[in-house]
Coordinates of all heavy atoms in Angstrom, one line a residue:
M1 N -6.9 8.7 11.6 CA -6.9 7.6 10.7 C -6.3 7.9 9.3 O -6.6 9.0 8.8 CB -8.3 7.0 10.5 CG -8.7 5.9 11.3 SD -7.6 4.5 11.5 CE -8.6 3.4 12.4
I2 N -5.6 7.0 8.7 CA -5.2 7.2 7.3 C -5.9 6.2 6.5 O -6.0 5.0 6.8 CB -3.7 6.9 7.2 CG1 -2.9 7.8 8.2 CG2 -3.2 7.1 5.8 CD1 -1.5 7.3 8.5
K3 N -6.5 6.7 5.4 CA -7.2 5.9 4.4 C -6.2 5.5 3.3 O -5.4 6.4 2.9 CB -8.4 6.6 3.8 CG -9.4 7.0 4.8 CD -10.6 6.0 4.8 CE -11.7 6.6 5.7 NZ -12.7 5.5 6.0
I4 N -6.2 4.3 2.9 CA -5.3 3.8 1.9 C -6.1 3.2 0.7 O -7.1 2.5 0.9 CB -4.5 2.6 2.5 CG1 -3.7 3.1 3.7 CG2 -3.5 2.0 1.5 CD1 -3.8 2.2 4.9
Y5 N -5.6 3.7 -0.5 CA -6.3 3.1 -1.7 C -5.1 2.8 -2.6 O -4.2 3.5 -2.8 CB -7.2 4.2 -2.3 CG -7.6 3.8 -3.7 CD1 -8.6 2.9 -3.9 CD2 -7.1 4.4 -4.8 CE1 -9.0 2.5 -5.1 CE2 -7.5 4.1 -6.1 CZ -8.4 3.1 -6.2 OH -8.8 2.7 -7.5
V6 N -5.3 1.6 -3.2 CA -4.3 1.2 -4.2 C -5.1 1.0 -5.5 O -6.1 0.3 -5.6 CB -3.6 -0.2 -3.9 CG1 -2.7 -0.6 -5.0 CG2 -2.9 0.0 -2.5
D7 N -4.6 1.7 -6.6 CA -5.1 1.5 -7.9 C -4.7 0.2 -8.5 O -3.6 0.0 -8.9 CB -4.7 2.6 -8.8 CG -5.3 2.6 -10.2 OD1 -5.8 1.5 -10.6 OD2 -5.3 3.6 -10.9
M8 N -5.6 -0.8 -8.4 CA -5.2 -2.2 -8.8 C -5.1 -2.3 -10.3 O -4.6 -3.4 -10.7 CB -6.3 -3.2 -8.2 CG -6.3 -3.2 -6.7 SD -4.7 -3.5 -5.9 CE -4.7 -5.3 -5.8
D9 N -5.5 -1.3 -11.0 CA -5.3 -1.4 -12.5 C -3.8 -1.1 -12.7 O -3.2 -1.5 -13.8 CB -6.1 -0.4 -13.2 CG -7.6 -0.8 -13.2 OD1 -7.8 -2.0 -13.1 OD2 -8.4 0.1 -13.3
K10 N -3.2 -0.3 -11.8 CA -1.7 0.0 -12.0 C -0.8 -1.0 -11.3 O 0.3 -1.2 -11.8 CB -1.5 1.4 -11.4 CG -2.0 2.6 -12.2 CD -1.5 3.9 -11.5 CE -2.0 5.1 -12.3 NZ -1.6 6.3 -11.6
C11 N -1.3 -1.5 -10.2 CA -0.4 -2.3 -9.3 C 0.0 -3.6 -10.1 O -0.8 -4.2 -10.7 CB -1.2 -2.7 -8.1 SG -0.3 -3.9 -7.1
Q12 N 1.3 -3.8 -10.1 CA 1.9 -5.0 -10.7 C 2.3 -6.0 -9.7 O 3.1 -7.0 -10.1 CB 3.1 -4.5 -11.6 CG 2.7 -3.6 -12.7 CD 1.8 -4.2 -13.7 OE1 1.9 -5.3 -14.1 NE2 0.7 -3.4 -14.1
H13 N 1.9 -5.8 -8.5 CA 2.2 -6.9 -7.4 C 3.7 -7.1 -7.2 O 4.0 -8.3 -6.9 CB 1.4 -8.2 -7.8 CG 0.0 -7.9 -8.2 ND1 -1.0 -7.6 -7.2 CD2 -0.6 -7.8 -9.4 CE1 -2.2 -7.4 -7.9 NE2 -1.9 -7.5 -9.2
Y14 N 4.5 -6.1 -7.4 CA 5.9 -6.3 -7.2 C 6.2 -6.5 -5.7 O 7.2 -7.1 -5.3 CB 6.7 -5.0 -7.6 CG 6.6 -4.8 -9.1 CD1 6.3 -3.6 -9.6 CD2 6.9 -5.8 -10.0 CE1 6.2 -3.3 -11.0 CE2 6.8 -5.6 -11.4 CZ 6.5 -4.3 -11.9 OH 6.5 -4.1 -13.2
G15 N 5.4 -5.9 -4.8 CA 5.6 -6.1 -3.4 C 6.6 -5.2 -2.7 O 6.8 -5.4 -1.5
Q16 N 7.1 -4.1 -3.3 CA 7.9 -3.2 -2.6 C 7.2 -2.6 -1.4 O 7.8 -2.4 -0.4 CB 8.4 -2.1 -3.5 CG 9.6 -2.5 -4.4 CD 9.1 -3.0 -5.7 OE1 8.0 -3.6 -5.8 NE2 9.9 -2.9 -6.7
C17 N 6.0 -2.3 -1.5 CA 5.2 -1.7 -0.4 C 5.2 -2.6 0.8 O 5.1 -2.2 1.9 CB 3.8 -1.3 -0.9 SG 2.9 -2.7 -1.6
V18 N 5.2 -3.9 0.5 CA 5.1 -4.9 1.6 C 6.3 -4.8 2.5 O 6.2 -4.9 3.7 CB 5.0 -6.3 1.0 CG1 5.0 -7.4 2.1 CG2 3.8 -6.5 0.1
F19 N 7.5 -4.5 1.9 CA 8.7 -4.3 2.7 C 8.6 -3.1 3.6 O 9.1 -3.0 4.7 CB 9.9 -4.3 1.9 CG 10.3 -5.6 1.2 CD1 9.9 -5.8 -0.1 CD2 10.9 -6.6 2.0 CE1 10.2 -7.0 -0.7 CE2 11.2 -7.8 1.4 CZ 10.8 -8.1 0.0
E20 N 8.0 -2.0 3.1 CA 7.9 -0.7 3.8 C 6.9 -0.7 4.9 O 7.1 -0.1 6.0 CB 7.6 0.4 2.9 CG 8.7 0.6 1.8 CD 10.1 0.9 2.3 OE1 10.2 1.5 3.4 OE2 11.1 0.5 1.7
A21 N 5.7 -1.4 4.7 CA 4.6 -1.4 5.7 C 3.9 -2.7 5.7 O 2.8 -2.8 5.2 CB 3.7 -0.2 5.3
P22 N 4.6 -3.7 6.2 CA 4.0 -5.1 6.1 C 2.7 -5.2 7.0 O 1.9 -6.2 6.7 CB 5.1 -6.0 6.7 CG 6.0 -5.1 7.4 CD 5.9 -3.7 6.8
E23 N 2.5 -4.3 7.9 CA 1.2 -4.3 8.7 C 0.0 -4.0 7.8 O -1.1 -4.4 8.1 CB 1.3 -3.3 9.8 CG 2.4 -3.6 10.8 CD 3.7 -2.8 10.4 OE1 3.8 -2.4 9.3 OE2 4.6 -2.8 11.3
V24 N 0.3 -3.3 6.7 CA -0.9 -2.9 5.9 C -0.9 -3.7 4.5 O -2.0 -4.0 4.0 CB -0.7 -1.4 5.6 CG1 -1.7 -0.9 4.5 CG2 -1.0 -0.6 6.9
F25 N 0.3 -3.9 4.0 CA 0.3 -4.5 2.6 C 0.9 -5.9 2.7 O 1.9 -6.2 3.4 CB 1.3 -3.7 1.7 CG 0.9 -2.3 1.5 CD1 1.5 -1.3 2.2 CD2 -0.2 -1.9 0.7 CE1 1.2 0.0 2.0 CE2 -0.5 -0.6 0.5 CZ 0.1 0.4 1.2
Q26 N 0.2 -6.9 2.1 CA 0.7 -8.3 2.1 C 0.5 -8.8 0.7 O -0.4 -8.4 -0.1 CB -0.1 -9.1 3.0 CG 0.1 -8.9 4.5 CD -1.0 -8.0 5.1 OE1 -2.1 -8.2 4.7 NE2 -0.6 -7.2 6.1
L27 N 1.3 -9.8 0.3 CA 1.0 -10.5 -0.9 C 0.4 -11.8 -0.5 O 0.8 -12.5 0.4 CB 2.3 -10.8 -1.7 CG 3.0 -9.6 -2.3 CD1 4.4 -10.0 -2.9 CD2 2.1 -8.9 -3.3
N28 N -0.7 -12.2 -1.1 CA -1.4 -13.4 -0.7 C -0.8 -14.6 -1.4 O 0.2 -14.5 -2.1 CB -2.9 -13.3 -1.0 CG -3.2 -13.2 -2.5 OD1 -2.4 -13.6 -3.3 ND2 -4.4 -12.8 -2.8
A29 N -1.4 -15.8 -1.2 CA -0.8 -17.0 -1.7 C -0.7 -17.0 -3.2 O 0.2 -17.7 -3.7 CB -1.7 -18.2 -1.2
D30 N -1.4 -16.2 -3.9 CA -1.3 -16.1 -5.3 C -0.4 -15.0 -5.8 O -0.4 -14.6 -6.9 CB -2.7 -15.9 -6.0 CG -3.6 -17.1 -5.8 OD1 -3.1 -18.2 -5.8 OD2 -4.9 -16.8 -5.6
D31 N 0.4 -14.4 -4.8 CA 1.2 -13.3 -5.1 C 0.5 -12.0 -5.6 O 1.0 -11.2 -6.3 CB 2.3 -13.6 -6.1 CG 3.5 -14.4 -5.4 OD1 3.6 -14.3 -4.1 OD2 4.2 -15.1 -6.1
K32 N -0.8 -11.9 -5.2 CA -1.5 -10.7 -5.4 C -1.5 -9.8 -4.2 O -1.5 -10.3 -3.1 CB -3.0 -11.0 -5.8 CG -3.1 -11.9 -7.0 CD -2.9 -11.1 -8.3 CE -3.2 -11.9 -9.5 NZ -2.6 -11.4 -10.7
L33 N -1.5 -8.5 -4.4 CA -1.5 -7.6 -3.3 C -2.8 -7.6 -2.6 O -3.9 -7.5 -3.2 CB -1.1 -6.2 -3.8 CG -1.0 -5.1 -2.7 CD1 0.2 -5.4 -1.8 CD2 -1.1 -3.7 -3.2
E34 N -2.7 -7.6 -1.2 CA -3.9 -7.3 -0.4 C -3.5 -6.3 0.6 O -2.3 -6.2 1.0 CB -4.3 -8.6 0.4 CG -4.9 -9.7 -0.6 CD -5.4 -10.9 0.2 OE1 -5.1 -11.0 1.4 OE2 -6.0 -11.7 -0.4
Y35 N -4.4 -5.4 1.0 CA -4.1 -4.3 1.9 C -5.2 -3.9 2.7 O -6.4 -4.2 2.4 CB -3.5 -3.1 1.1 CG -4.6 -2.4 0.2 CD1 -5.2 -1.3 0.6 CD2 -4.9 -2.9 -1.1 CE1 -6.2 -0.6 -0.2 CE2 -5.8 -2.3 -1.9 CZ -6.5 -1.2 -1.4 OH -7.4 -0.5 -2.2
Q36 N -4.9 -3.3 3.9 CA -5.9 -2.7 4.8 C -6.3 -1.4 4.2 O -5.5 -0.6 3.8 CB -5.3 -2.6 6.2 CG -4.5 -3.7 6.7 CD -5.4 -4.9 7.0 OE1 -6.5 -4.8 7.4 NE2 -4.8 -6.1 6.7
A37 N -7.6 -1.0 4.3 CA -8.1 0.2 3.8 C -7.8 1.4 4.8 O -7.9 2.5 4.4 CB -9.5 0.1 3.4
E38 N -7.5 1.1 6.0 CA -7.3 2.1 7.1 C -6.1 1.7 7.9 O -5.9 0.5 8.1 CB -8.5 2.2 8.0 CG -9.7 2.9 7.3 CD -10.9 3.1 8.3 OE1 -10.8 2.4 9.4 OE2 -11.8 3.8 8.0
A39 N -5.4 2.7 8.4 CA -4.3 2.5 9.4 C -4.2 3.7 10.3 O -4.7 4.8 10.0 CB -3.0 2.3 8.6
P40 N -3.7 3.4 11.5 CA -3.6 4.5 12.5 C -2.5 5.5 12.1 O -1.6 5.2 11.3 CB -3.1 3.8 13.8 CG -2.6 2.5 13.4 CD -3.3 2.1 12.1
D41 N -2.7 6.8 12.6 CA -1.8 7.9 12.2 C -0.3 7.6 12.4 O 0.5 8.1 11.6 CB -2.2 9.1 13.0 CG -3.5 9.7 12.6 OD1 -4.1 9.2 11.5 OD2 -4.0 10.6 13.3
D42 N 0.0 6.8 13.4 CA 1.5 6.6 13.6 C 2.1 5.7 12.6 O 3.3 5.5 12.6 CB 1.7 6.0 15.1 CG 1.0 4.6 15.3 OD1 0.5 4.1 14.3 OD2 1.1 4.1 16.4
M43 N 1.4 5.3 11.6 CA 1.9 4.5 10.5 C 2.2 5.4 9.3 O 2.7 4.9 8.2 CB 1.0 3.4 10.1 CG 1.0 2.2 11.1 SD 0.6 0.7 10.3 CE 1.9 0.6 9.1
L44 N 2.0 6.7 9.4 CA 2.1 7.6 8.2 C 3.5 7.5 7.6 O 3.5 7.4 6.3 CB 1.8 9.0 8.6 CG 1.8 10.0 7.5 CD1 0.7 9.6 6.5 CD2 1.5 11.4 8.0
A45 N 4.5 7.5 8.4 CA 5.9 7.5 7.8 C 6.1 6.2 6.9 O 6.6 6.3 5.8 CB 6.9 7.6 8.8
D46 N 5.7 5.1 7.5 CA 5.9 3.8 6.7 C 5.0 3.8 5.5 O 5.5 3.3 4.4 CB 5.5 2.6 7.6 CG 6.5 2.3 8.7 OD1 7.6 2.9 8.6 OD2 6.2 1.5 9.6
L47 N 3.8 4.4 5.6 CA 2.9 4.4 4.4 C 3.4 5.3 3.3 O 3.3 5.0 2.1 CB 1.5 4.7 4.9 CG 0.8 3.7 5.7 CD1 -0.5 4.2 6.4 CD2 0.5 2.5 4.9
E48 N 4.0 6.4 3.8 CA 4.5 7.4 2.8 C 5.8 6.7 2.1 O 6.0 6.9 0.9 CB 4.9 8.7 3.4 CG 3.7 9.5 3.7 CD 4.0 10.9 4.4 OE1 5.1 11.0 5.0 OE2 3.2 11.8 4.3
S49 N 6.5 6.0 2.9 CA 7.7 5.3 2.2 C 7.2 4.3 1.2 O 7.7 4.1 0.1 CB 8.5 4.5 3.3 OG 9.1 5.4 4.2
A50 N 6.1 3.6 1.6 CA 5.5 2.6 0.6 C 5.1 3.2 -0.6 O 5.3 2.8 -1.7 CB 4.4 1.8 1.3
A51 N 4.4 4.4 -0.5 CA 3.9 5.1 -1.7 C 5.1 5.6 -2.5 O 5.0 5.5 -3.7 CB 3.0 6.3 -1.2
D52 N 6.2 6.0 -1.8 CA 7.3 6.5 -2.6 C 8.0 5.4 -3.4 O 8.5 5.7 -4.5 CB 8.3 7.1 -1.6 CG 7.9 8.5 -1.1 OD1 6.9 9.1 -1.7 OD2 8.5 9.0 -0.1
V53 N 8.1 4.2 -2.8 CA 8.9 3.2 -3.5 C 8.0 2.5 -4.5 O 8.6 1.7 -5.3 CB 9.5 2.1 -2.5 CG1 10.4 2.8 -1.5 CG2 8.4 1.3 -1.8
C54 N 6.7 2.6 -4.5 CA 5.9 1.9 -5.5 C 6.3 2.3 -6.9 O 6.1 3.5 -7.3 CB 4.4 2.2 -5.2 SG 3.4 1.5 -6.5
P55 N 6.8 1.4 -7.7 CA 7.2 1.8 -9.0 C 6.1 2.2 -10.0 O 6.3 2.9 -11.0 CB 7.9 0.5 -9.6 CG 7.4 -0.6 -8.7 CD 7.0 0.0 -7.4
M56 N 4.9 1.8 -9.6 CA 3.7 2.2 -10.4 C 3.0 3.4 -9.9 O 2.0 3.9 -10.5 CB 2.7 1.0 -10.5 CG 3.3 -0.3 -11.0 SD 4.2 -0.1 -12.6 CE 2.9 0.3 -13.7
Q57 N 3.5 4.0 -8.8 CA 2.8 5.1 -8.1 C 1.3 4.9 -8.0 O 0.5 5.7 -8.3 CB 3.0 6.4 -8.9 CG 4.5 6.8 -9.0 CD 5.0 7.3 -7.7 OE1 4.7 8.4 -7.2 NE2 5.9 6.5 -7.0
A58 N 1.0 3.7 -7.5 CA -0.3 3.2 -7.4 C -1.0 3.4 -6.0 O -2.2 3.1 -5.8 CB -0.4 1.7 -7.8
I59 N -0.2 3.9 -5.0 CA -0.7 4.0 -3.7 C -1.1 5.4 -3.4 O -0.3 6.3 -3.6 CB 0.4 3.5 -2.7 CG1 0.8 2.0 -2.9 CG2 -0.1 3.7 -1.2 CD1 1.9 1.5 -2.1
F60 N -2.3 5.6 -2.9 CA -2.8 6.9 -2.5 C -3.2 6.9 -1.1 O -3.9 6.0 -0.6 CB -4.0 7.2 -3.4 CG -3.6 7.2 -4.9 CD1 -3.7 6.1 -5.6 CD2 -3.1 8.4 -5.5 CE1 -3.4 6.1 -7.0 CE2 -2.8 8.4 -6.8 CZ -2.9 7.2 -7.6
L61 N -2.8 8.0 -0.3 CA -3.1 8.1 1.1 C -4.0 9.3 1.3 O -3.7 10.4 0.7 CB -1.8 8.2 1.9 CG -0.7 7.1 1.6 CD1 0.6 7.5 2.3 CD2 -1.2 5.8 2.1
T62 N -4.9 9.2 2.2 CA -5.7 10.3 2.6 C -5.8 10.4 4.1 O -6.0 9.3 4.8 CB -7.2 10.2 2.1 OG1 -7.2 9.7 0.8 CG2 -7.9 11.5 2.2
K63 N -5.5 11.5 4.7 CA -5.5 11.7 6.1 C -6.9 12.1 6.6 O -7.4 13.1 6.0 CB -4.4 12.7 6.5 CG -4.2 12.9 8.0 CD -3.1 12.1 8.5 CE -2.6 12.6 9.9 NZ -3.7 12.7 10.8
E64 N -7.5 11.5 7.6 CA -8.8 11.9 8.0 C -8.7 12.6 9.4 O -7.9 12.2 10.2 CB -9.7 10.7 8.2 CG -9.9 10.0 6.8 CD -11.4 9.8 6.6 OE1 -12.1 9.3 7.6 OE2 -11.9 10.1 5.5
Ligands
LIG101 S1 4.7 -1.5 -4.6 FE1 3.0 -0.7 -5.9 S2 3.0 -2.0 -7.7 FE2 4.1 -3.1 -6.0 S3 2.6 -4.3 -5.0 FE3 2.8 -2.4 -3.9 S4 1.1 -1.1 -4.8 FE4 1.5 -2.8 -6.2

């Protein structure tokens, strides 16, 4: 399992992460980021891409 944490104080809701891993990151009806706190290991590449493209470097991943 991969644990996902987004620092919502940094996140500006740009949504770049949504394009990289839409299974985990979504923008809600108010254009605010929502995300799953856990994802299976086979999503690691997509999640690392999301963390890389985040302009605020707000995405943190932990492998369990
Ligand atoms: S890419 Fe970063 S700043 Fe943009 S919505 Fe995702 S976590 Fe927030």
